[in-house]
Amino acid sequence: MSAAHNLEVPGPSFVRDAHGESVIERWLRRGIEVLAAAAVVGEVALLFVGIVARAVFHQPLIWSDELASILFLWLAMLGSALAVQRSCHMRLTFFVSHMTPRAQAWAETLAVAAAAAFFALVMHPAYDYVQDQAFVETPALGWSGSVRALAIPFGCAAALVSCGLRLARHDRRHIVGAVALMVLIAGACYLARAPLTHMGQGALLVFFVGVLGTAVMAGVPIAFAFSLATSAYLLTTTSTPLSVVVGRMDEGMSTLILLAVPMFVLLGQLVHVTGVARVMVAFLASLLGHVRGGMSYVLLGAMLLISGISGSKTADMAAVAPVLFPEMRKRGMKDGELVSLLAASGAMSETIPPSLVLIAIASVTGISIAALFTAGILPAIVLAFVLGVVAWWRAGREEETDESRAGAVRAPWSHVRRTFVIALPALLLPFLIRSAVVEGIATATEVSTIGIAYSLVIGLLIYRGGLKWKAVMPMLLQTAALSGAILFIVGAASAMGWALTQSGFSHDLASMMTRVPGGAAGFMLVSIVAFIVLGSVLEGIPAIVLFGPLLFPVAHQLGIHEVHYAMVVVLAMGLGVFAPPFGLCYYAACIIGEVSPEAGLRRIWIYLGMLLLGLIAIAFVPWISIGFL
């Protein structure tokens, strides 16, 4: 994931402000921000009111799911437009970062132009889709389906205008070059329609390997690389209208299970801002900080605890690293060791509920999200134990200084008790979230709102001073932008997965995978390798959403429990996401820890290697995943 660099050229001062932003751009941004923030607040309030009405007053609101679905699509589209404005859409920058500054500037222009091309391409099909939905009426509210579907052309229009305004700040030569390249590719597809159609499934290699792979490596945001490759394939080799793509994207983004994504993203930010994460880490440090490798154990324990609250790896690392890294550096740990352990702990905790990837799996495969949440705890604990062994061994190899030995003094029990009492309200939060689901008070989609309310209460009444009014709007906007980027990827991958299914590729893949030597064991090993590679290239959620529906039926056919298979592929994907040189989250860990990426390149492999061994053990001991179901 990467933000745009300062490669834009400001226009005349009478049109733009000191930051190079035009009046139109500023007002559009503010308008989208207000609407997106209102959508987040409205969704939280609606879900919380629904829980109270059902659990306290025993009067369920029969219209709440319909209204939540309508508001959710608006939130997704407004968030995706906001992500365009903030450069939050996920992209692979490994290859771009090795280009010359001039080439990087052109790649940035290409990324914006590609997004604009897709939004322009689907504007009319999105309008047709709204007209089709006008004949649908919601059962409880009696509203026209166009009220909900209108979010798609509105969001596309806002994003298209935002892309145009951003392009106006780029070098004109780069704009001409990017547009010329896209026109050249479109012209080549048009002229080669007949031979590409006759190629049958061979055309999939052209569009979903050639076009898609080149776009991703060139730094085009992954969601738009998916969308453009799918649109180009359908327009060139089929007669399918693009309104079908719009519909499939709507279907992918609108699954109510995915409503947990913005809710848990917001909860993760509240945990950080209110000081909940800080007091948890302080308690663990007082308890374990004095033993050999103690601060490493604290980091692992903190990631396990906080992963059970925020659901976002980036939020987890941002909550833990700033608190622990200064003390760990003081005790003599090298920067490379710190970032390696942080990245490995992120991969370790991928299955801790409420993992956003588990939510995505539930949305595309139909597996019970409660079963996934129950199964995800023990595999993470097993991997935490494996990393703890590595941390203990590495701590023995690190040279200790007088300063580090002085910092490793056992804390008095009075201090441990005091930090425990302070941290107790925070430590109850993960258990509150899980018990609310188990006891049936709230669904896995709704439970995050209980966590949000609880975090607000303890943040304002107990850990006072962390949450300020001025921090509320940035949290809401960050929630909307990050959620929009995630949901747009899910929608784009859903459309792409549908195109692959219609081509017959899914059936052929299933047939090929069932013939892998070794039966279920061979299939499991191939899946581990495949998802490590896919995770490193596509990032977690896109990889899961795209290939999950294709491979889970094969696993079921081979007799592999679907929940067990989910744990294995999520952890394999996590290894890829945090593995250099391609893993996006490895660089996120480096940014959060303020460590050069090169510092961890030699040290991280021992951690990832041991995680791989732990993953193989989980793959061949199903009880670790399904023993408590």
Side-chain angles (χ1 to χ4, degrees):
M1 214 181 313
S2 121
H5 303 290
N6 296 322
L7 300 170
E8 299 169 340
V9 182
S13 59
F14 65 87
V15 177
R16 303 182 183 278
D17 59 19
H19 302 286
E21 189 177 51
S22 68
V23 175
I24 297 175
E25 195 170 0
R26 183 168 65 252
W27 280 103
L28 176 63
R29 174 178 55 80
R30 289 178 179 174
I32 297 298
E33 287 177 349
V34 169
L35 292 174
V40 174
V41 173
E43 202 71 83
V44 173
L46 179 61
L47 291 178
F48 188 73
V49 168
I51 294 172
V52 173
R54 185 179 63 248
V56 178
F57 298 103
H58 306 291
Q59 301 257 336
L61 304 176
I62 59 173
W63 47 265
S64 60
D65 282 352
E66 287 182 10
L67 185 56
S69 175
I70 293 170
L71 191 58
F72 183 42
L73 184 59
W74 278 92
L75 171 59
M77 293 308 300
L78 289 168
S80 63
L82 191 59
V84 167
Q85 295 173 344
R86 295 181 159 217
S87 300
C88 290
H89 282 285
M90 291 176 241
R91 49 194 294 242
L92 180 67
T93 56
F94 174 79
F95 296 101
V96 175
S97 64
H98 288 76
M99 296 179 179
T100 64
R102 183 178 180 83
Q104 288 184 33
W106 179 82
E108 295 290 341
T109 305
L110 177 64
V112 180
F118 174 72
F119 287 123
L121 193 63
V122 298
M123 275 301 301
H124 190 271
Y127 176 72
D128 291 339
Y129 182 70
V130 172
Q131 291 184 312
D132 293 339
Q133 292 297 303
F135 300 100
V136 179
E137 186 176 288
T138 59
L141 293 172
W143 292 2
S144 169
S146 59
V147 174
R148 177 182 168 281
L150 189 62
I152 299 177
F154 183 89
C156 289
L160 178 59
V161 175
S162 298
C163 289
L165 293 170
R166 285 188 60 193
L167 282 173
R169 291 191 273 158
H170 285 246
D171 190 304
R172 291 182 181 177
R173 291 169 297 178
H174 295 156
I175 297 173
V176 171
V179 172
L181 176 62
M182 290 190 293
V183 170
L184 181 63
I185 294 173
C189 291
Y190 178 79
L191 294 175
R193 282 182 303 169
L196 285 172
T197 302
H198 291 141
M199 286 175 64
Q201 290 191 13
L204 297 175
L205 293 175
V206 175
F207 292 99
F208 296 116
V209 176
V211 174
L212 174 61
T214 302
V216 170
M217 289 189 292
V220 173
I222 296 171
F224 300 113
F226 281 2
S227 303
L228 288 171
T230 303
S231 300
Y233 170 73
L234 293 177
L235 289 173
T236 303
T237 64
T238 74
S239 58
T240 304
L242 287 187
S243 57
V244 174
V245 173
V246 175
R248 292 296 168 175
M249 291 185 68
D250 176 13
E251 184 179 335
M253 290 187 290
S254 299
T255 306
L256 273 181
I257 291 175
L258 292 175
L259 185 53
V261 170
M263 300 300 102
F264 279 116
V265 170
L266 178 58
L267 177 58
Q269 295 189 71
L270 277 172
V271 165
H272 177 65
V273 172
T274 57
V276 169
R278 175 176 46 80
V279 296
M280 284 182 177
V281 172
F283 165 65
L284 292 174
S286 69
L287 188 65
L288 299 172
H290 62 282
V291 301
R292 172 179 165 180
M295 295 305 293
S296 297
Y297 306 149
V298 171
L299 189 149
L300 295 174
M303 288 294 288
L304 284 174
L305 279 175
I306 295 171
S307 290
I309 300 172
S310 74
S312 166
K313 294 302 117 198
T314 305
D316 300 340
M317 294 188 295
V320 170
V323 179
L324 288 181
F325 273 23
E327 180 64 22
M328 296 173 83
R329 287 189 175 103
K330 181 180 176 182
R331 299 191 184 193
M333 288 192 70
K334 305 295 190 296
D335 279 355
E337 201 74 31
L338 292 177
V339 76
S340 298
L341 182 61
L342 180 65
S345 66
M348 161 206 82
S349 56
E350 281 285 3
T351 60
I352 288 287
S355 165
L356 299 183
V357 182
L358 291 183
I359 295 170
I361 282 184
S363 73
V364 299
T365 63
I367 301 174
S368 165
I369 192 170
L372 291 172
F373 279 11
T374 301
I377 299 173
L378 189 55
I381 293 175
V382 169
L383 295 186
F385 175 78
V386 169
L387 288 182
V389 173
V390 178
W392 177 84
W393 177 70
R394 296 292 294 176
R397 294 172 60 89
E398 293 287 332
E399 294 184 3
E400 288 191 334
T401 64
D402 292 338
E403 186 179 21
S404 69
R405 283 193 294 269
V409 176
R410 180 193 294 270
W413 279 110
S414 59
H415 179 70
V416 175
R417 285 195 301 271
R418 185 169 65 254
T419 56
F420 173 72
V421 171
I422 294 172
L424 183 59
L427 293 170
L428 291 176
L429 180 54
F431 301 99
L432 174 67
I433 290 174
R434 293 187 184 105
S435 62
V437 176
V438 172
E439 297 297 327
I441 297 173
T443 66
T445 302
E446 300 170 328
V447 72
S448 53
T449 59
I450 295 178
I452 290 170
Y454 183 77
S455 298
L456 284 172
V457 170
I458 64 175
L460 294 173
L461 300 182
I462 300 177
Y463 308 123
R464 290 176 289 181
L467 183 61
K468 305 291 186 184
W469 276 111
K470 64 181 180 181
V472 173
M473 191 64 173
M475 280 196 302
L476 296 175
L477 296 180
Q478 182 64 14
T479 298
L482 182 56
S483 301
I486 292 172
L487 295 170
F488 200 83
I489 277 187
V490 172
S494 298
M496 182 173 167
W498 177 84
L500 291 172
T501 301
Q502 295 302 306
S503 71
F505 172 77
S506 300
H507 180 270
D508 293 346
L509 176 66
S511 300
M512 181 184 68
M513 293 295 281
T514 53
R515 294 195 298 268
V516 169
F523 173 76
M524 192 70 87
L525 290 174
V526 170
S527 296
I528 289 174
V529 174
F531 274 94
I532 288 175
V533 174
L534 290 170
S536 66
V537 176
L538 294 181
E539 215 268 335
I541 290 177
I544 289 294
V545 173
L546 184 58
F547 288 95
L550 305 181
L551 296 180
F552 272 80
V554 181
H556 180 74
Q557 184 177 344
L558 292 172
I560 300 172
H561 196 288
E562 54 190 5
V563 174
H564 174 216
Y565 187 65
M567 296 302 111
V568 172
V569 299
V570 167
L571 291 171
M573 176 275 305
L575 277 175
V577 167
F578 283 92
F582 300 117
L584 297 175
C585 285
Y586 171 74
Y587 299 102
C590 293
I591 293 170
I592 291 167
E594 298 180 352
V595 176
S596 168
E598 290 76 17
L601 288 180
R602 287 190 301 174
R603 295 172 180 258
I604 194 173
W605 297 108
I606 179 65
Y607 290 98
L608 295 182
M610 291 301 292
L611 281 179
L612 179 59
L613 293 179
L615 172 57
I616 291 173
I618 292 170
F620 290 98
V621 183
W623 183 88
I624 297 175
S625 300
I626 60 177
F628 293 99
L629 295 182

